[in-house]
Amino acid sequence: KGSDGVERLCSYSEANGLDLCPAPRRDAAMMLMGNTGGKNGRVLLFGGMTYCQPSPSVGRECAGGISPVLAYLQGSQSDAPTPLNDLWSLDLTRLGLGCVRDGICSPSSPLLWRQIQVSAGSEPASRWGPGITLDAYSATLYIMGGTTVTEGGEYQTLDTLLSFQINDALHSTCEASGDGLQSAQAGEQTSFVVACLDALGEAATTASISVSISGPVSLTPTIEVIASTPGSFRVSYSAGTSGSYNVEIRVGRGGAARQMLIPNGSFDLTVFPGETSPSASESSGSFKCLCTAGVVGTFTIMARDSLGNRRPGKDEVEVFMSMKDDSAFPLSGQITDVGDGSYQVVYSITRSGSYSLSVYFAGEVGAASPVDLWVASASVDIGMTYAFGEVLRAAAGTSSNIYVQTRDRFGNHILVDPSDAPDGYEQVNFELCISLGKDSTRSCSGGEKDTGLAVSTSYGSWPAGSAEASDSGSGPAYGLYTLTYFPFSEGNYYPLVSHNKTPIACVFDVPADEPQKDPGPTAANECIQRQGAASASTSRRSTPARALRVGLPPVDREAMDDSNDVGGQGTRRSVSDGVIVVNATFREPNNSEALRWVWLAPILTAILGWTLDLVFGW
């Protein structure tokens, strides 16, 4: 059997290059292996010398016809013998008794030579006459000493000791198979199999196999013999980092420099991420925790497996935002799968307040959620501001309260914390007007203002007597300003409540003997819509009533009884051009006692003086 693996009749030829048989030689080392009384083994053949081989580089011509031994004995340089270092095996298992005893050998069962391949770089130096021995237990062949000749024709005696593992895996016969060569999942134990023959074409019982797996990180696989399948070895590894890797399998002894890559021994390996882990996934972006009502907020979700590898996408991701202390149905975000494991979340919330934002992967909460999301109110919208309190009745010398609720365009209370701004940021004011003008930018719209009025402003406190004021857990009254006014003069006035110098359209009168309760957003919104419609209607007319509408739309005098009660506000009514009545509370003082003492004082003083004069003789 030649080096090409094809069985032929033994026929050596320098020209065909098949090396079907060893070259003619002498002084080679030979050894029997595996020969027992009941079974023929094989002959191992190593080295020797053969005829001179021409070498123009050193001027060797090889005259020819001269014995290699004679050339050696004569010390010839031009006809120096050629030393050999090839290793051969002759299988004697087909050698029958008749062939040995009678010399009659069957042509159908020829003896087969096999050249034993040695890993490149580990071949022994060419030589003849070496010593040879075999350790049958370990199947290790030892070669010692011998003689060689250099390219320059110089003869040398060798003193090296070499070993060769006969039943070790031969790299050129190895094959690798298994899914683990091309794909794996991060975090999972994966394997493939390497099967090898030894130098004699039999299943290798030992092997020096080196497997390198390089990529985002380098992996160190384990290699073990598969006992049930001789010549097979299982290579196992576990990759924690996903990505592209390269697998190379080498076989051979003598260190990495002498190991040979097996045929087709380089593979492209892809390690895919594991299943999505909600707890290992992440979310980022400022809009995850803070947003403004009506503003489109965005943040990013990154899906990862349990080892932190980025997922490829196509996960079932949901985002819900639930307002705290509110049973309203949660809001959901619009999610876009970018395709690289990241997801863009877009949402818009018009109701301000504190929310809980949760990210779900296939129904399981993750990505470090839930988190607190604070939706701040939008910028103030003066058209949405309304006021309530003691608007139509007051008493001179007595303080009364009017409350101004500031809101954004969505009806949210302006969320300014009193601890950050004790006085708030809005300018609210209250005036008692003797008459109203037409210029809303001026005091009393350009009319006459009562100067006998004291007004103070506070921020963030609930109305006295309200349920929130008595509840310590209610928190601050966001966006609510308290105007405490103190009139000095009785009479009839036009009340004018303004926000940033703009008269407030809807002002609700709450009598002093009732709890100062907010009429609520429903009543306020209906009033604003009604007053807006009335203002638009009257703007097309030229009537004297127009002057009364400056900052305060036309009168809505209809008392809200039980049959027309918006939001259950009872007798509260919306005030526009109503007239506030300031009653007198000051009374004439009682001076009778003082006058009596003024009359008696001189008399008492005279009596006191006369008495002292009698006692002390003054």
Side-chain angles (χ1 to χ4, degrees), residues 42-45 87-91 112-114 116 200:
R42 61 184 72 243
V43 175
L44 300 177
L45 171 68
L87 179 63
W88 291 82
S89 168
L90 176 63
D91 189 356
L112 302 177
W113 283 98
R114 172 188 288 272
I116 298 175
L200 303 177

Side-chain angles (χ1 to χ4, degrees), residues 336-484:
T336 300
D337 187 346
V338 181
D340 60 354
S342 65
Y343 300 84
Q344 291 293 330
V345 182
V346 178
Y347 67 91
S348 178
I349 301 176
T350 58
R351 185 179 178 186
S352 62
S354 180
Y355 289 77
S356 177
L357 186 150
S358 299
V359 179
Y360 290 89
F361 296 86
E364 183 178 351
V365 69
S369 68
V371 296
D372 291 334
L373 168 64
W374 176 255
V375 179
S377 56
S379 58
V380 67
D381 185 343
I382 295 177
M384 295 293 290
T385 300
Y386 64 94
F388 61 94
E390 301 170 58
V391 181
L392 297 182
R393 290 289 184 273
T398 302
S399 63
S400 300
N401 292 325
I402 295 177
Y403 303 92
V404 179
Q405 182 64 66
T406 57
R407 301 190 297 170
D408 63 14
R409 62 191 178 96
F410 303 106
N412 297 304
H413 296 180
I414 300 301
L415 299 182
V416 175
D417 197 319
S419 61
D420 297 328
D423 298 326
Y425 294 121
E426 304 303 312
Q427 180 182 351
V428 296
N429 192 26
F430 177 68
E431 296 175 305
L432 291 179
C433 302
I434 299 172
S435 65
L436 292 173
K438 299 181 179 181
D439 187 355
S440 61
T441 63
R442 299 174 59 189
S443 177
C444 285
S445 298
E448 184 180 356
K449 175 182 176 181
D450 175 42
T451 58
L453 177 69
V455 181
S456 64
T457 305
S458 62
Y459 173 72
S461 298
W462 294 102
S466 64
E468 293 84 358
S470 60
D471 184 0
S472 59
S474 295
Y478 289 114
L480 185 65
Y481 294 80
T482 302
L483 294 170
T484 301

Side-chain angles (χ1 to χ4, degrees), residues 87-129:
L87 179 63
W88 291 82
S89 168
L90 176 63
D91 189 356
L92 300 178
T93 57
R94 296 186 179 183
L95 183 62
L97 181 60
C99 182
V100 175
R101 183 184 59 194
D102 305 326
I104 304 174
C105 301
S106 172
S108 61
S109 301
L111 302 183
L112 302 177
W113 283 98
R114 172 188 288 272
Q115 186 174 5
I116 298 175
Q117 301 294 326
V118 180
S119 299
S122 64
E123 305 93 335
S126 300
R127 68 193 69 196
W128 65 82

Side-chain angles (χ1 to χ4, degrees), residues 470-552:
S470 60
D471 184 0
S472 59
S474 295
Y478 289 114
L480 185 65
Y481 294 80
T482 302
L483 294 170
T484 301
Y485 68 95
F486 190 99
F488 289 94
S489 303
E490 61 179 301
N492 296 332
Y493 302 93
Y494 293 102
L496 186 63
V497 187
S498 62
H499 176 192
N500 291 348
K501 298 183 179 181
T502 300
I504 297 174
C506 283
V507 181
F508 294 86
D509 177 56
V510 181
D513 56 351
E514 294 185 15
Q516 300 296 292
K517 185 176 181 182
D518 190 333
T522 301
N525 293 340
E526 289 182 356
C527 174
I528 290 172
Q529 292 176 2
R530 184 169 61 249
Q531 301 289 16
S535 178
S537 175
T538 57
S539 66
R540 294 189 291 269
R541 302 183 317 216
S542 177
T543 65
R546 184 175 182 182
L548 298 179
R549 290 187 294 102
V550 178
L552 289 175

Side-chain angles (χ1 to χ4, degrees), residues 47-395:
M49 70 165 70
T50 189
Y51 292 100
C52 175
Q53 302 293 329
S55 178
S57 62
V58 296
R60 186 182 301 135
E61 299 179 355
C62 296
I66 183 173
S67 166
V69 176
L70 179 60
Y72 167 62
L73 294 176
Q74 292 177 349
S76 171
Q77 293 184 355
S78 60
D79 291 301
T82 300
L84 304 173
N85 69 343
D86 49 350
L87 179 63
W88 291 82
S89 168
L90 176 63
D91 189 356
L92 300 178
T93 57
R94 296 186 179 183
L95 183 62
L97 181 60
C99 182
V100 175
R101 183 184 59 194
D102 305 326
I104 304 174
C105 301
S106 172
S108 61
S109 301
L111 302 183
L112 302 177
W113 283 98
R114 172 188 288 272
Q115 186 174 5
I116 298 175
Q117 301 294 326
V118 180
S119 299
S122 64
E123 305 93 335
S126 300
R127 68 193 69 196
W128 65 82
I132 187 170
T133 188
L134 178 69
D135 181 356
Y137 178 78
S138 63
T140 303
L141 182 68
Y142 294 95
I143 297 174
M144 301 158 285
T147 303
T148 188
V149 59
T150 65
E151 284 285 337
E154 180 182 354
Y155 296 94
Q156 292 181 347
T157 300
L158 303 175
D159 59 358
T160 54
L161 173 63
L162 305 174
S163 65
F164 181 75
Q165 198 78 24
I166 296 293
N167 59 0
D168 203 8
L170 184 63
H171 77 277
S172 60
T173 66
C174 295
E175 295 180 350
S177 61
D179 294 338
L181 287 167
Q182 297 177 326
S183 65
Q185 183 168 304
E188 291 191 358
Q189 191 76 5
T190 309
S191 64
F192 57 87
V193 174
V194 178
C196 297
L197 300 178
D198 62 17
L200 303 177
E202 298 177 356
T205 57
T206 62
S208 178
I209 300 177
S210 173
V211 178
S212 66
I213 305 178
S214 58
V217 296
S218 295
L219 306 180
T220 303
T222 59
I223 303 173
E224 59 182 351
V225 176
I226 302 177
S228 59
T229 308
S232 296
F233 305 85
R234 178 175 287 106
V235 181
S236 302
Y237 65 91
S238 178
T241 304
S242 61
S244 298
Y245 291 76
N246 177 256
V247 180
E248 288 189 348
I249 305 172
R250 287 180 164 81
V251 172
R253 296 186 184 274
R258 294 188 176 182
Q259 288 184 323
M260 302 295 292
L261 189 69
I262 70 173
N264 302 316
S266 181
F267 302 87
D268 291 328
L269 167 66
T270 301
V271 177
F272 297 96
E275 296 297 324
T276 299
S277 171
S279 60
S281 298
E282 304 166 336
S283 56
S284 61
S286 59
F287 283 106
K288 185 183 70 172
C289 300
L290 181 64
C291 190
T292 300
V295 174
V296 175
T298 63
F299 65 92
T300 302
I301 298 172
M302 182 61 66
R304 299 186 182 277
D305 64 12
S306 60
L307 299 174
N309 295 301
R310 193 167 179 161
R311 288 278 302 157
K314 298 183 179 180
D315 294 286
E316 184 183 341
V317 182
E318 296 176 297
V319 175
F320 294 107
M321 291 149 285
S322 303
M323 194 169 193
K324 295 183 177 179
D325 303 324
D326 196 311
S327 59
F329 193 78
L331 302 173
S332 61
Q334 181 180 348
I335 302 173
T336 300
D337 187 346
V338 181
D340 60 354
S342 65
Y343 300 84
Q344 291 293 330
V345 182
V346 178
Y347 67 91
S348 178
I349 301 176
T350 58
R351 185 179 178 186
S352 62
S354 180
Y355 289 77
S356 177
L357 186 150
S358 299
V359 179
Y360 290 89
F361 296 86
E364 183 178 351
V365 69
S369 68
V371 296
D372 291 334
L373 168 64
W374 176 255
V375 179
S377 56
S379 58
V380 67
D381 185 343
I382 295 177
M384 295 293 290
T385 300
Y386 64 94
F388 61 94
E390 301 170 58
V391 181
L392 297 182
R393 290 289 184 273

